[in-house]
Amino acid sequence: MEQTVIALLGNPNVGKTSLFNRLTKLHQKVGNYPGITVEKREGTVQANGKNYRLIDLPGTYTLFPSSLDEEVVFRTLTEKDNSIKPQLTVVVTEPSTIKRGIVLYQQARDLGLPAIFVVNMMDEVQSKGIEIDFERLETYLQTKVYQTNARNGKGISRLIEAFEQQPGFYRSTFEVPSSYHAALQEAKALFPLATEYLTWQFLAQEQVSYLTPEIQDQLAAIRARHQLVPAAMQKEETLIRHQEVERNIPLILKQSDSNHSNTTYRIDRLLLHPFFGYVIFFGLLFLIFQAIFSWSGPLMDWIDQIFGDLTAYLEATLPEGPLSALFTEGIVAGIGGIVIFLPQIVVLFLFLSLMEESGYMSRVVFLMDRWLRPFGLNGKSVIPLMSGAACAIPAVMSARNIENPKERLLTILVTPFMTCSARLPIYVVLIGLVIPEQYFLGFNLQGIALFVMYLLGIIGALGSAWLLNKVIKSVRSTFLIFELPTYKTPDWKNMLLTVWEKASGFLFQAGKIILMISIILWVLGSFGPTREFYQAEEIVQQNYPELNTEQLENHVASYQLEHSFLGYLGQGIEPFVRPLGYDWKMGIGLISSFAAREVFVGTMAVVYSMGGDVDVDDDNEKNTLLAQMRAEINANTGEPAYNLASGVSLLLFYAFAMQCMATIAIVRKETGSWKWTAIQTLFMTGLAYVVALLAYQILK
């Protein structure tokens, strides 16, 4: 069935995504736009006897792109051969920001796009003291205006009906200033079928990604001949449009001081206070990390026990052989090593989405801006750094909206220090192994330790930025300008959907990697290059004739692993990791985690399930990952492999070491330089090694 493509366009924080969720009834999927890592959310709506394909475009304030997200919006709406070019654009705004929504709508119509106008969040009209004359608004916009409330579904059915009603003729109110007419006429010859405003857009942008190099050169020549500055052209259009809206809006919209605005002001006096604002923010972070352990602990134990019992059942049920061993020791053990940490991921994203939905995250950006400037970072660097708490890859990509080259480079280089969600499983299991589950002043010590690990990530990022700021020269400075949204009650459906998407994405994306790594590790651990591997039982019996049957099996498994391909690989790097308190088995974990950080725990699950020489007193726990890790003995020291010294050393190594291969690849792509990519990787790895070495040598 042929689908009609409909795009939702709007400013940030207007409830556009809530409207999208309501329209699609969660029949949606998340992917990436072709060739780039910007997230694309699309869904389907079946109504009016037709099937509609909805695209939720990234939030934008203007159709002049200054970031990758905004470039995606412009390209989707204007590229002729784009597979998702919409047949209808739904411009979404909300009552308190209706003026900006009008400007965005007018730009869309001037491009020649069929568009309708939607005022969402109508439930806030009264609380914000806003009166809207919708009849005058429709006359001004030359279109029907639809009123919706995505929270309760009011107005949704009428909006869906409008998908079949093509907007009528639109007469533009924007006129290009006369000083640009000559240049515009020259540019129009290059685009004979384009609207005048689209040609103006091409001329007023430094570069349009989908235009050919020849056209780009011709546009650049026109700008040079007429001495045009794209930034000045965009600024002039913006002023003209806003002045025109300001002249007409008093007849359409009236806003009085309301309890809502007064409440927002009173809350901001506290949350943006130069002292208490920071106390509240860091206190909130502290409570989040407490909750990660307290709330998810029972679920974690349950999942750990389930996988332990499943492994024991499979070992007892399946016939002996390589395929059964691959399934139990490779696949099940590896997947169990990541599923166990899903509760922590859910709790983390639950709090992050709550901060975003309520409007508090924007206050965090504002608060941290003044502290980033002394380190050479732009205020917009806050967003990549905060995003780094989820994943470094999209965080590095989000630095594209930083105009200053030096500040953008600095942000890219230091963002991987931030503690991403892939590190969380490592932190959780290591803290659980080496930090006692005790309370200090009523607070969980393990939660305190996790909070410290996140602080170390911030310290590493800012310290590195300060150092690099002394080395890299800057041409100009930029400023952070954005609007603080009003506080609102979170849309709980949106929150839960966000948590589901992030958690399931983490689980399934990590699961693919872990499955691949687990199979590779099992193969490397199940075969060896020498006779010692294949004659392990005979050799062990000769050396240890006094062993009983169970002891013999454990020693044979351990001896085989040591002389397998995997064992020799780990022993090859052991001289480098031994000073940090690690043995060759832990070295294998370090190597595998270069593919993805969270793979470390899954790797240990595979290695220890194959190594069979752990001594666990409780038979009910002998198949659980945590029990195996607690019982593992470091062959070099004769002590538990995961004691306070080695555990803290590992925690610090992962806190500062360069992240996964994908992060290195994306840094190379974003910087366009192997030089800075190599500097970043060597610097972070070297720092991690030195800090981990000092910690182990001091604590052992």
Side-chain angles (χ1 to χ4, degrees):
M1 180 185 296
E2 185 178 350
Q3 292 181 318
T4 300
V5 179
I6 298 175
L8 298 187
L9 173 67
N11 302 148
N13 303 304
V14 296
K16 181 168 58 64
T17 299
S18 296
L19 186 63
F20 173 78
N21 291 338
R22 177 69 68 169
L23 286 167
T24 61
K25 297 179 181 178
L26 305 185
H27 295 150
Q28 55 184 258
K29 60 182 180 180
V30 178
N32 289 335
Y33 287 91
I36 52 178
T37 58
V38 172
E39 190 174 83
K40 178 181 71 174
R41 189 190 302 267
E42 64 175 89
T44 56
V45 177
Q46 292 182 344
N48 307 322
K50 291 190 176 181
N51 200 15
Y52 301 97
R53 181 184 180 189
L54 257 63
I55 309 294
D56 185 18
L57 294 173
T60 181
Y61 290 106
T62 177
L63 292 186
F64 283 113
S66 60
S67 68
L68 183 61
D69 281 2
E70 292 173 349
E71 182 182 327
V72 163
V73 173
F74 180 78
R75 184 166 188 166
T76 301
L77 296 177
T78 62
E79 187 179 15
K80 184 178 179 180
D81 298 325
N82 180 16
S83 62
I84 57 172
K85 190 176 190 303
Q87 282 87 52
L88 177 67
T89 302
V90 179
V91 181
V92 184
T93 188
E94 56 99 9
S96 61
T97 61
I98 197 168
K99 289 184 282 188
R100 289 201 309 271
I102 289 173
V103 170
L104 199 59
Y105 169 81
Q106 290 174 335
Q107 285 185 309
R109 293 307 303 265
D110 285 342
L111 286 172
L113 298 171
I116 59 177
F117 196 74
V118 175
V119 181
N120 191 34
M121 298 167 63
M122 286 299 297
D123 55 324
E124 297 189 5
V125 168
Q126 186 174 359
S127 64
K128 292 182 178 180
I130 297 174
E131 295 180 17
I132 302 174
D133 188 330
F134 283 98
E135 188 174 332
R136 288 184 183 231
L137 179 60
E138 289 178 349
T139 302
Y140 176 53
L141 295 179
Q142 308 168 51
T143 190
K144 177 72 176 175
V145 175
Y146 297 88
Q147 305 172 43
T148 61
N149 181 1
R151 294 176 187 274
N152 58 24
K154 184 177 180 181
I156 297 298
S157 59
R158 291 190 63 194
L159 176 59
I160 293 176
E161 291 174 4
F163 290 170
E164 280 302 298
Q165 301 173 10
Q166 285 297 314
F169 174 78
Y170 177 80
R171 184 177 180 275
S172 176
T173 58
F174 171 70
E175 294 184 5
V176 174
S178 58
S179 57
Y180 299 110
H181 281 179
L184 184 60
Q185 290 303 316
E186 287 189 43
K188 286 168 70 173
L190 301 175
F191 310 99
L193 299 179
T195 64
E196 182 175 273
Y197 181 65
L198 179 56
T199 305
W200 162 261
Q201 279 271 355
F202 291 154
L203 194 62
Q205 293 186 38
E206 195 74 46
Q207 184 177 15
V208 179
S209 60
Y210 62 84
L211 294 180
T212 64
E214 293 77 14
I215 293 291
Q216 297 276 20
D217 291 341
Q218 290 175 293
L219 286 170
I222 294 173
R223 295 190 203 101
R225 276 197 300 274
H226 295 274
Q227 298 181 332
L228 303 183
V229 179
M233 298 169 70
Q234 296 175 22
K235 178 181 178 183
E236 193 161 351
E237 179 193 329
T238 302
L239 289 174
I240 291 172
R241 288 192 182 277
H242 280 278
Q243 287 169 359
E244 194 265 336
V245 171
E246 288 292 345
R247 286 194 301 269
N248 291 276
I249 204 69
L251 300 174
I252 299 170
L253 181 141
K254 296 179 182 179
Q255 185 168 7
S256 60
D257 293 335
S258 64
N259 292 332
H260 189 280
S261 59
N262 290 333
T263 301
T264 295
Y265 174 73
R266 287 194 295 269
I267 295 174
D268 278 345
R269 286 187 63 184
L270 178 62
L271 295 184
L272 298 180
H273 190 274
F275 175 74
F276 293 110
Y278 295 100
V279 172
I280 293 171
F281 172 55
F282 285 106
L284 180 61
L285 285 183
F286 187 82
L287 291 176
I288 288 173
F289 300 130
Q290 289 289 312
I292 286 175
F293 274 96
S294 301
W295 296 1
S296 58
L299 273 176
M300 235 182 117
D301 294 339
W302 178 73
I303 293 172
D304 192 23
Q305 189 62 52
I306 288 292
F307 272 90
D309 293 343
L310 177 61
T311 301
Y313 172 78
L314 292 173
E315 288 177 345
T317 305
L318 295 176
E320 291 188 9
L323 289 180
S324 298
L326 169 62
F327 186 68
T328 56
E329 298 171 358
I331 297 175
V332 174
I335 297 300
I338 192 64
V339 173
I340 189 174
F341 301 105
L342 193 58
Q344 284 86 359
I345 302 299
V346 169
V347 172
L348 175 63
F349 282 118
L350 183 66
F351 278 100
L352 289 178
S353 59
L354 177 62
M355 293 167 68
E356 184 68 42
E357 280 282 327
S358 64
Y360 180 62
M361 188 66 81
S362 296
R363 272 73 184 177
V364 173
V365 172
F366 177 80
L367 278 173
M368 299 305 296
D369 177 50
R370 70 177 67 180
W371 293 101
L372 292 179
R373 293 197 175 277
F375 300 96
L377 298 173
N378 180 277
K380 293 181 180 179
S381 302
V382 177
I383 297 172
L385 292 174
M386 292 291 293
S387 301
C391 179
I393 295 170
V396 168
M397 295 291 294
S398 68
R400 286 185 173 185
N401 67 345
I402 301 174
E403 295 85 1
N404 186 289
K406 173 191 173 180
E407 293 162 352
R408 178 173 175 269
L409 177 61
L410 278 177
T411 304
I412 290 173
L413 294 179
V414 305
T415 292
F417 277 106
M418 300 300 291
T419 299
C420 68
S421 58
R423 285 178 171 133
L424 185 58
I426 301 174
Y427 289 170
V428 169
V429 72
L430 291 177
I431 289 173
L433 287 171
V434 303
I435 303 297
E437 191 176 355
Q438 299 176 358
Y439 287 82
F440 176 73
L441 299 178
F443 295 104
N444 188 308
L445 280 179
Q446 294 179 337
I448 294 174
L450 183 60
F451 179 70
V452 170
M453 297 309 300
Y454 273 75
L455 280 181
L456 283 176
I458 296 173
I459 292 170
L462 295 182
S464 301
W466 179 85
L467 183 63
L468 291 169
N469 187 39
K470 304 296 182 182
V471 179
I472 305 173
K473 302 300 179 184
S474 180
V475 178
R476 64 185 188 279
S477 297
T478 52
F479 303 92
L480 177 68
I481 301 175
F482 71 103
E483 180 183 24
L484 291 176
T486 56
Y487 292 104
K488 61 180 184 289
T489 304
D491 187 323
W492 301 108
K493 286 185 178 178
N494 264 7
M495 279 184 54
L496 293 176
L497 181 62
T498 298
V499 171
W500 164 252
E501 287 177 351
K502 300 298 184 183
S504 61
F506 175 87
L507 178 63
F508 295 123
Q509 290 175 20
K512 293 176 184 177
I513 299 173
I514 289 170
L515 181 60
M516 178 184 67
I517 296 293
S518 296
I519 292 174
I520 293 173
L521 289 173
W522 181 87
V523 171
L524 291 176
S526 298
F527 300 94
T530 63
R531 59 176 289 274
E532 280 83 359
F533 178 86
Y534 298 100
Q535 299 178 7
E537 184 172 354
E538 180 182 337
I539 295 172
V540 170
Q541 283 181 328
Q542 289 178 355
N543 294 334
Y544 305 98
E546 73 282 358
L547 296 178
N548 59 36
T549 303
E550 183 177 354
Q551 290 173 331
L552 177 63
E553 289 178 356
N554 286 338
H555 274 70
V556 168
S558 178
Y559 189 84
Q560 278 191 315
L561 180 61
E562 185 176 353
H563 291 86
S564 66
F565 288 108
L566 189 63
Y568 285 120
L569 180 64
Q571 292 167 51
I573 69 165
E574 189 176 42
F576 300 98
V577 300
R578 186 184 297 133
L580 309 182
Y582 318 151
D583 61 10
W584 61 272
K585 294 182 181 179
M586 297 160 77
I588 293 171
L590 292 181
I591 294 174
S592 65
S593 65
F594 185 58
R597 281 291 177 250
E598 61 269 38
V599 172
F600 174 82
V601 180
T603 299
M604 293 296 94
V606 174
V607 170
Y608 295 145
S609 66
M610 294 169 63
D613 60 346
V614 295
D615 182 17
V616 183
D617 294 332
D618 189 347
D619 288 337
N620 293 325
E621 291 190 357
K622 67 180 179 181
N623 287 302
T624 68
L625 169 63
L626 297 180
Q628 289 174 329
M629 295 183 76
R630 286 192 187 97
E632 180 68 18
I633 300 298
N634 186 322
N636 300 322
T637 63
E639 298 179 355
Y642 299 94
N643 53 40
L644 180 64
S646 64
V648 170
S649 174
L650 259 179
L651 284 169
L652 292 175
F653 183 87
Y654 277 113
F656 296 117
M658 184 57 180
Q659 297 187 29
C660 58
M661 292 183 293
T663 304
I664 293 177
I666 207 66
V667 168
R668 165 62 181 86
K669 181 180 178 182
E670 293 300 301
T671 60
S673 167
W674 277 114
K675 169 190 168 185
W676 285 112
T677 306
I679 289 174
Q680 179 192 48
T681 304
L682 293 174
F683 173 75
M684 293 185 67
T685 306
L687 176 63
Y689 190 91
V690 171
V691 172
L693 175 65
L694 292 175
Y696 179 73
Q697 296 300 327
I698 291 172
L699 293 175
K700 72 174 183 177

